[in-house]
Amino acid sequence: MPILIDIQRADTSEKIPSDASINRWVESALDNNDDSVELSIRVVGEQESAALNLQYRGKSGATNVLSFPFSAVTPEPLPMLGDLVVCAPIVTLEAHQQHKALEAHWAHMIVHGVLHLLGYDHENDNDARVMEILETEILLGLNYPAPYTETTEHN
């Protein structure tokens, strides 16, 4: 399956993972998808995240990851999966607060966002359980700890 990922870095934090890492996490989340896929991932600061969160979700403040599935009606199917917007300062803060390795938390946020683009959500307990199990399987497969358990690792 060909995967085209456009990674945009609007935030210049030194703690943003490499393109190779981000690509590996996206590929792992898309492992069972046989279609060609295109998506963009924009890494932003708190101001841009907060503006998008307010505009599209009606919620104030920055958030870790926003997903925008591609939903345009086109004459022929397009390989566009959608867009992810990841707020680097929030991901870093959460990793510290949750006592998780920064790289592992970044991997979790990318996997989580890609699953949203694939149609998974956590609007009710059953959907949340399904999504959490899938996230855990993917992250364990990448040799990261289960994302919904606290660790004592810091970066």
Side-chain angles (χ1 to χ4, degrees):
M1 134 194 68
I3 301 172
L4 178 62
I5 305 168
D6 175 30
I7 300 172
Q8 304 168 6
R9 297 169 187 276
D11 185 90
T12 57
S13 168
E14 296 173 10
K15 298 179 180 181
I16 297 171
S18 68
D19 288 2
S21 291
I22 292 171
N23 279 297
R24 185 169 62 96
W25 303 331
V26 169
E27 289 172 7
S28 291
L30 294 171
D31 189 41
N32 294 325
N33 187 345
D34 292 329
D35 299 325
S36 294
V37 173
E38 295 179 21
L39 69 141
S40 60
I41 298 174
R42 183 168 172 83
V43 181
V44 301
E46 289 183 67
Q47 186 175 0
E48 186 172 343
S49 175
L52 291 168
N53 200 23
L54 183 61
Q55 181 178 354
Y56 291 101
R57 296 179 66 222
K59 296 184 178 185
S60 62
T63 189
N64 52 21
V65 63
L66 293 166
S67 58
F68 299 95
F70 182 75
S71 61
V73 177
T74 59
E76 294 183 28
L78 295 175
M80 289 300 304
L81 190 57
D83 303 316
L84 295 180
V85 177
V86 185
C87 183
I90 296 294
V91 173
T92 299
L93 177 65
E94 287 177 346
H96 179 73
Q97 290 174 336
Q98 297 171 19
H99 308 288
K100 295 181 179 178
L102 183 56
E103 182 180 325
H105 194 53
W106 266 99
H108 180 210
M109 291 301 95
I110 297 295
V111 167
H112 184 89
V114 170
L115 291 179
H116 275 306
L117 294 179
L118 290 172
Y120 291 91
D121 67 42
H122 40 81
E123 296 299 313
N124 63 54
D125 289 345
N126 188 55
D127 289 345
R129 192 170 23 263
V130 167
M131 191 170 177
E132 288 176 10
I133 289 168
L134 188 52
E135 288 172 279
T136 299
E137 288 174 358
I138 293 166
L139 289 160
L140 290 173
L142 288 164
N143 295 317
Y144 294 112
Y148 294 100
T149 56
E150 254 192 52
T151 65
T152 56
E153 199 168 339
H154 286 284
N155 273 20

